[in-house]
Amino acid sequence: MKWLALLALSTILTSTTTVAETTNRYWATIAELEFPRATPTAFRETRSSKLLRKPAQQTGILWIEQGGDFVMQVLKPRPEERRLSNQRLQLTRGKKQRSLFLDRNKATHQLLLSIVAVLEGDVEQLQAAFEINSQATDDSAVADGWAVELTPIDPSLRKSLQRLVLRGSANSLLSLRAERPGNRWQEITILPPATSNHTQRSSD
Amino acid sequence: MVNHRALIILLLMCGALLATALSRLQLTYDLGFFLPAPQSDEQRVLIERLGQGPGTQLVFVALPNTNETKAAKAAQQLRELPGITRVLPELREPGLEDLPDVLWQHRLQLADLPTTKAGWLKLLDERMSDLMLADDDLQNLIASDPALLSLHAIEKASNVTSSPEFLERADEVSGRAEHRYLLIQTSSGAFDLDAQTTTIKNVRSSLLEAGLSTAKLYGSGVYGVDLQASVQRESIVFSVLASFALAALVFFRFRSWLLVLAIGVPLLVGGLAGLAVLSLLFSNIHGITLAFGFTLLGVAIDYPLHLFSQSTSTGEPQRVWPTLRLGIASTLVAYLAFALSGTAGMQQLGVFAVTGIVSAALASWWLTRITTDNQALVEDPTQHNPEKIMGHPNHLPWCLCLLLGLPLTYTSTLFSDDLSRLTPIPQAILAEDARIRQAMGVADLRHIVSVRDNTLQGTLERLEKTNLVLDKAIHRGDLSGFQNITPLLPSDAAQHRRQLAARELIQNGNFDTAIAESDFSLEALDPFKVALESLANNTTALLTIEQLRKQSQDLSNLIDSMLYKSGEQWVAMTFLRGLPATTNLLATELENGAGATLVDLKQASMTLVAEYRTRVFGLLGGALGAIALLLLGATRQPARVIWLLGTLLAALVLSIAISRLLLGGLSLFDVIALALVAGLGLDYALFFSKHNNSQEQQQVTRRAITLCALSSLFVFGVLALSSIPLLRGLGVTVASGVAAAWLLARFGWRQAKDID
């Protein structure tokens, strides 16, 4: 009977190795994403809310500054600038400026941090916060399309952020979708240069 | 030489007086207690709210070369200390649970809502942006309060900035170097020195425990505590030094330690008697009363010195008693002036000094009387010259000194009414304090806007008009912000107006139309609509000050710091941020637009001190007149009285001139010290011009006066070396006055042998 047990164990070991390999491959995909970090890149952000009839949408440009601040400059429909520096988010609307900590809004904070980590290719930070689920399916219908699903390791974070889905094509990131409880979601789509009309910083 | 039994009785009496004083003594440090009745609104605000503004409760902690983790740990430890209500930065955002229930229930009465469709569309558009980052809490808040009136009310009424903004400003202050800043909000005002002392001591210990020994503290409370400590420290050091010097001098003269003790005991009796009487008459005694009371009592050291000089040399202390009595009576007249100056603190000072002088004089007299009665006369009275040795006044010295000294006192900088010049806080620290405060956007400590009315509602309505003026000033860049009670407590009129506006909004349907045209679902803001209908239908009661006070102690304290009752009137304060250098335009607009007063606390304190000084001078002038009459009645020697007063006046003028040259200007406290100069100067002049029975007695008298002058010169000369401007000023004024008075009296009276 011992050989049966050995067989079972070897099967499990083989299977584990396969999962680990897959996981590593996904992490490698994220690490290899080519992203022009300091260059303004167009994005579209869509979010569902129980208060809204249809998901709200806004477009703009995003980039990472040399000092490490992540900036999302919303150009339409209501111009505003969001600057993430450590745990602080600075919002600028016209002449009004407002800073807030994101400690209460963990899901949004993690989403923003994840975008930064993805843009920076900082897999270690993502690995510290998420585990990869290879079950994600790519429905982007683009060539060399892929999808990676990240699940928060922190159970308290899972209460406000169920999962993060990254979709891409070859070594390009296409979108990042945060799914929250109650069928609510938020998605940031990276727009290809051809479809982007606004890649100039308003301060330039 | 000294009657031991009498000495022991006096020492026992000291013990009894001390016990009486200690059993009832209640010290206070409320400066308002010591200041005169205010004459203007500005002065009234200064006195009523001295050291109580929200800005005075703040302590900034600068942490050089400290990382964020260490600073956060230190902040957490500080939060656990008693007497501290808040420490910034707090690494959390305020949430719905931080909104007091009463404000949440009355949120739609706190500020105006848009009434037009366009206004609502703009507002909903802004909320759409918020929703992109909103968590569940914020979405619920928007559903019930789309204008975020409740959040804005809390933010506007808070005297400290939000934590993220604080961190941003701190980055600017430190130039993004490895410096961290913490902002501590204490529960006590700057002039609650007892509470502040405990809090600051705990803060320093906590920072040391956290390994932050290089931390620097800034804030008016910190300076008050440090000033008190340095005044106490230097007072003790100089008192000990002066006591040793005085004891050495007396020992050198009498060669007896018992006499040194005997000469000190009447002063002790005087001080303790003054203290005991004060504690019996007043429920609270001001610290300044004691400090200056003991200074004024310094004149009493002359009494035992005169009596024992005569007693040990001639065995006839009673011979100097008539002159001494006259000197004592004159000093009492001068010190009684303080009791009539009209402030509780000065009344106490007068009572203390008068009681002390009388007690010290009686103790001196009794001690020497008993001593003399019990011992054989050391001299044969027959050896005395039967003819009195007479002298004559020489008016030239004092006239010359007056002519010389008066031009030196005729200057616009003769007096310094700026109380800040009396603190020993280094300019560099004050400059850094100002830089941090400005950069952190903390309320200006110097300027406040006050409005007052006979009713609470009248005051709140004026305050709302004040807001309109201040909003305009912000709009044109003359002001960066302000804080008052209106965001939390609108007037009843404003709440009624908002009730009517709610009714109109429901009737005109502008809100519903805006919702329909926006991306918000029709039922999304139903919680808001319910609250709006409740307000429109008068089912929501008006928000009252009592409701706010009942809500929490923090809220009650916040109200008290901005709104208070003064007599029959209600006074509301507005604290300003980022005020321009020139405030004339704003002051005029506030006066014309809202009947509000822009109070410059520094200016108000300077005018108050100047008026008070004039009053003290007037009283001292009156006292001098009364002394002249007393001297004339007692001596019936007009020429001597003219010389006495001339000499005294010249000594005072010289003291003022020297003090101005050395100190840059006389403070109010230096003016009070002039009363001591007058007491001592008159004493010297009286004794130098005294008729003596013999050459020897004349020599004894002269030596006694010189001993008195030297003792005062030692005591106050040492004080002139103090690093604390307040103490230094006292030392310079009295020491220079004593020297001038002695020289003028010694060389201004033609003694008998001079005539010979």
Side-chain angles (χ1 to χ4, degrees):
Chain A
M1 292 296 281
K2 278 184 182 174
W3 64 271
L4 274 175
L6 192 63
L7 187 64
L9 182 63
S10 65
T11 310
I12 292 167
L13 284 172
T14 312
S15 160
T16 308
T17 308
T18 309
V19 170
E21 275 174 0
T22 313
T23 304
N24 285 339
R25 188 158 50 81
Y26 282 131
W27 285 126
T29 306
I30 295 171
E32 285 162 12
L33 285 175
E34 283 175 5
F35 206 88
R37 287 156 198 167
T39 309
T41 304
F43 74 91
R44 181 178 60 236
E45 186 178 11
T46 317
R47 179 172 177 164
S48 71
S49 165
K50 62 180 180 182
L51 299 181
L52 301 177
R53 269 196 289 263
K54 57 178 184 180
Q57 197 176 80
Q58 52 190 21
T59 55
I61 48 175
L62 56 83
W63 69 92
I64 295 175
E65 294 203 329
Q66 281 193 339
D69 286 3
F70 172 57
V71 183
M72 287 179 82
Q73 199 168 72
V74 178
L75 301 169
K76 280 184 178 178
R78 295 160 291 275
E80 74 172 24
E81 187 184 275
R82 300 176 202 160
R83 179 179 290 267
L84 182 72
S85 175
N86 295 324
Q87 280 195 311
R88 268 177 281 163
L89 181 71
Q90 192 181 67
L91 280 177
T92 309
R93 286 178 192 161
K95 286 182 182 174
K96 285 184 190 169
Q97 205 173 58
R98 182 179 165 80
S99 289
L100 34 119
F101 281 125
L102 289 168
D103 67 307
R104 284 178 176 277
N105 199 343
K106 284 186 179 170
T108 301
H109 189 207
Q110 196 54 59
L111 178 65
L112 291 171
L113 286 181
S114 303
I115 296 170
V116 179
V118 171
L119 296 186
E120 297 257 68
D122 188 352
V123 172
E124 278 183 20
Q125 190 182 328
L126 287 171
Q127 283 175 331
F130 297 99
E131 54 193 21
I132 264 186
N133 181 353
S134 56
Q135 300 302 312
T137 51
D138 169 41
D139 55 1
S140 59
V142 291
D144 300 327
W146 52 263
V148 174
E149 184 182 304
L150 303 173
T151 313
I153 295 170
D154 179 4
S156 68
L157 180 60
R158 274 204 294 270
K159 286 178 189 166
S160 54
L161 177 66
Q162 286 179 325
R163 58 186 184 156
L164 210 58
V165 181
L166 275 64
R167 294 183 200 284
S169 167
N171 54 359
S172 296
L173 179 74
L174 295 179
S175 71
L176 202 144
R177 181 184 171 99
E179 293 186 0
R180 300 165 192 257
N183 207 22
R184 285 174 292 128
W185 52 269
Q186 183 172 6
E187 186 167 296
I188 292 173
T189 308
I190 304 296
L191 301 177
T195 60
S196 163
N197 296 322
H198 310 284
T199 49
Q200 197 74 12
R201 296 182 202 179
S202 65
S203 56
D204 289 347
Chain B
M1 194 180 286
V2 176
N3 185 295
H4 291 75
R5 203 161 51 111
L7 204 56
I8 290 168
I9 290 172
L10 283 179
L11 284 171
L12 286 173
M13 195 188 288
C14 284
L17 289 169
L18 183 67
T20 310
L22 289 181
S23 66
R24 297 176 59 92
L25 189 68
Q26 287 278 334
L27 279 179
T28 173
Y29 292 95
D30 178 6
L31 265 184
F33 189 72
F34 219 84
L35 293 173
Q39 302 299 316
S40 63
D41 278 357
E42 287 93 332
Q43 292 176 357
R44 210 163 286 136
V45 168
L46 171 76
I47 287 181
E48 287 168 350
R49 308 305 286 176
L50 200 62
Q52 293 178 45
T56 67
Q57 296 174 329
L58 303 180
V59 175
F60 290 96
V61 184
L63 304 170
N65 303 317
T66 309
N67 62 39
E68 205 157 336
T69 314
K70 207 168 180 181
K73 197 178 162 193
Q76 190 50 43
Q77 283 180 5
L78 290 172
R79 277 183 202 109
E80 287 160 16
L81 295 177
I84 288 177
T85 51
R86 205 173 166 195
V87 179
L88 288 185
E90 292 162 327
L91 297 176
R92 61 180 284 275
E93 276 289 302
L96 274 176
E97 71 273 16
D98 296 316
L99 285 172
D101 284 347
V102 67
L103 287 180
W104 181 247
Q105 284 157 16
H106 296 85
R107 61 191 179 278
L108 303 187
Q109 288 146 271
L110 300 176
D112 293 335
L113 286 166
T115 50
T116 62
K117 188 182 86 175
W120 273 105
L121 280 172
K122 186 170 177 287
L123 192 141
L124 292 173
D125 207 36
E126 283 176 17
R127 291 299 86 83
M128 285 289 287
S129 294
D130 291 334
L131 282 178
M132 296 306 285
L133 293 165
D135 60 351
D136 286 348
D137 255 9
L138 184 58
Q139 293 196 42
N140 292 337
L141 179 71
I142 289 172
S144 301
D145 184 9
L148 305 183
L149 300 180
S150 51
L151 267 188
H152 292 163
I154 287 286
E155 281 172 0
K156 279 185 177 179
S158 173
N159 62 349
V160 288
T161 178
S162 70
S163 287
E165 277 173 14
F166 173 81
L167 279 172
E168 265 165 38
R169 289 172 186 274
D171 283 347
E172 285 168 26
V173 174
S174 64
R176 289 191 179 263
E178 273 296 293
H179 281 35
R180 298 280 172 264
Y181 287 90
L182 303 178
L183 175 58
I184 299 173
Q185 189 179 357
T186 62
S187 55
S188 51
F191 285 102
D192 187 354
L193 273 179
D194 285 343
Q196 283 284 340
T197 303
T198 312
T199 306
I200 301 298
K201 193 178 158 193
N202 289 339
V203 167
R204 284 186 167 136
S205 304
S206 175
L207 290 169
L208 268 179
E209 271 175 35
L212 298 166
S213 57
T214 52
K216 286 182 183 162
L217 305 188
Y218 301 90
S220 45
V222 179
Y223 309 142
V225 169
D226 288 349
L227 178 63
Q228 189 188 35
S230 56
V231 167
Q232 280 173 351
R233 193 172 50 244
E234 289 211 10
S235 298
I236 291 169
V237 169
F238 288 124
S239 298
V240 170
L241 272 177
S243 302
F244 272 115
L246 196 60
L249 190 71
V250 174
F251 182 76
F252 180 75
R253 166 69 181 84
F254 295 107
R255 310 280 170 183
S256 160
W257 286 115
L258 197 64
L259 258 175
V260 172
L261 181 67
I263 284 168
V265 164
L267 202 62
L268 196 63
V269 170
L272 292 173
L275 204 59
V277 169
L278 276 190
S279 63
L280 290 172
L281 292 181
F282 300 92
S283 53
N284 284 301
I285 300 167
H286 202 284
I288 290 179
T289 302
L290 294 188
F292 280 91
F294 280 106
T295 305
L296 292 180
L297 202 56
V299 71
I301 191 72
D302 288 8
Y303 311 154
L305 281 177
H306 278 301
L307 289 166
F308 278 107
S309 288
Q310 289 295 332
S311 172
T312 54
S313 303
T314 65
E316 297 172 306
Q318 66 274 22
R319 288 191 191 281
V320 291
W321 185 244
T323 313
L324 195 60
R325 204 170 48 202
L326 193 57
I328 292 167
S330 306
T331 305
L332 287 177
V333 169
Y335 287 1
L336 268 172
F338 292 121
L340 303 173
S341 75
T343 76
M346 289 299 254
Q347 275 172 4
Q348 288 185 358
L349 185 60
V351 169
F352 179 87
V354 166
T355 312
I357 295 284
V358 171
S359 309
L362 287 174
S364 306
W365 175 79
W366 186 67
L367 196 58
T368 43
R369 180 71 188 266
I370 282 199
T371 302
T372 312
D373 285 349
N374 288 349
Q375 71 181 35
L377 289 176
V378 291
E379 282 183 35
D380 181 356
T382 56
Q383 288 180 353
H384 288 166
N385 189 338
E387 283 186 27
K388 283 187 175 181
I389 296 172
M390 305 288 284
H392 293 282
N394 177 4
H395 296 291
L396 193 64
W398 69 262
C399 284
L400 274 176
C401 284
L402 266 186
L403 282 173
L404 214 77
L406 273 176
L408 288 172
T409 61
Y410 193 73
T411 162
S412 58
T413 58
L414 177 59
F415 297 109
S416 168
D417 298 323
D418 184 358
L419 293 175
S420 65
R421 285 188 56 192
L422 299 176
T423 68
I425 312 295
Q427 278 304 314
I429 289 184
L430 294 178
E432 181 64 4
D433 180 290
R435 189 179 79 89
I436 294 173
R437 276 178 190 278
Q438 193 176 9
M440 295 290 189
V442 175
D444 188 300
L445 283 178
R446 181 171 166 173
H447 296 92
I448 42 179
V449 179
S450 85
V451 293
R452 54 179 71 226
D453 200 277
N454 293 334
T455 62
L456 172 63
Q457 289 310 316
T459 304
L460 291 174
E461 282 168 30
R462 275 169 184 261
L463 201 55
E464 281 158 0
K465 286 180 187 165
T466 303
N467 291 354
L468 297 177
V469 176
L470 295 176
D471 281 336
K472 275 185 197 165
I474 290 175
H475 188 68
R476 65 168 184 262
D478 276 357
L479 194 69
S480 57
F482 63 90
Q483 174 207 350
N484 63 29
I485 196 68
T486 48
L488 299 181
L489 183 63
S491 67
D492 285 355
Q495 293 188 59
H496 278 305
R497 200 179 61 238
R498 283 163 195 156
Q499 221 163 23
L500 291 174
R503 212 168 290 161
E504 193 188 325
L505 189 62
I506 289 169
Q507 282 166 1
N508 64 28
N510 284 340
F511 171 72
D512 292 327
T513 318
I515 279 276
E517 287 182 22
S518 75
D519 287 339
F520 279 85
S521 62
L522 288 175
E523 65 283 0
L525 305 186
D526 275 355
F528 165 72
K529 280 188 77 175
V530 170
L532 191 72
E533 277 161 13
S534 168
L535 178 65
N537 298 333
N538 285 342
T539 44
T540 309
L542 292 179
L543 175 63
T544 65
I545 190 168
E546 289 78 19
Q547 284 174 303
L548 286 172
R549 280 215 169 103
K550 270 185 204 163
Q551 176 71 52
S552 71
Q553 191 56 46
D554 281 352
L555 208 50
S556 185
N557 291 343
L558 191 63
I559 292 167
D560 291 341
S561 71
M562 296 188 276
L563 183 70
Y564 65 97
K565 209 163 178 204
S566 165
E568 292 302 308
Q569 289 194 309
W570 281 89
V571 185
M573 325 278 289
T574 301
F575 303 98
L576 308 172
R577 290 194 292 270
L579 205 63
T582 313
T583 56
N584 294 348
L585 174 65
L586 186 60
T588 311
E589 287 176 341
L590 284 165
E591 177 64 42
N592 296 339
T597 312
L598 179 65
V599 183
D600 180 342
L601 291 174
K602 185 173 183 179
Q603 193 59 37
S605 77
M606 286 175 75
T607 56
L608 191 72
V609 169
E611 285 167 17
Y612 195 34
R613 172 173 39 74
T614 309
R615 188 181 167 84
V616 170
F617 256 121
L619 286 164
L620 288 178
L624 216 56
I627 289 170
L629 290 175
L630 179 75
L631 291 173
L632 204 61
T635 64
R636 299 185 187 282
Q637 296 169 314
R640 187 183 173 205
V641 171
I642 290 171
W643 179 84
L644 283 169
L645 292 175
T647 301
L648 183 60
L649 213 59
L652 288 172
V653 166
L654 283 178
S655 171
I656 291 171
I658 293 168
S659 299
R660 190 193 76 80
L661 286 173
L662 295 180
L663 304 170
L666 270 79
S667 73
L668 174 66
F669 302 107
D670 300 332
V671 172
I672 295 170
L674 286 175
L676 176 60
V677 174
L680 291 168
L682 190 64
D683 184 47
Y684 306 155
L686 271 171
F687 275 92
F688 269 118
S689 62
K690 171 182 167 298
H691 296 174
N692 291 296
N693 285 345
S694 66
Q695 288 283 357
E696 193 188 353
Q697 198 188 28
Q698 187 189 52
Q699 285 304 316
V700 170
T701 306
R702 281 183 170 195
R703 278 205 297 270
I705 304 167
T706 305
L707 187 64
C708 291
L710 276 176
S711 62
S712 297
L713 204 61
F714 267 30
V715 171
F716 289 95
V718 167
L719 210 58
L721 302 174
S722 170
S723 67
I724 298 163
L726 178 73
L727 298 180
R728 190 167 63 241
L730 270 180
V732 168
T733 307
V734 179
S736 61
V738 163
W742 184 83
L743 285 169
L744 281 166
R746 169 68 183 80
F747 299 105
W749 186 261
R750 282 187 186 158
Q751 302 288 357
K753 71 170 184 183
D754 301 334
I755 300 164
D756 297 339

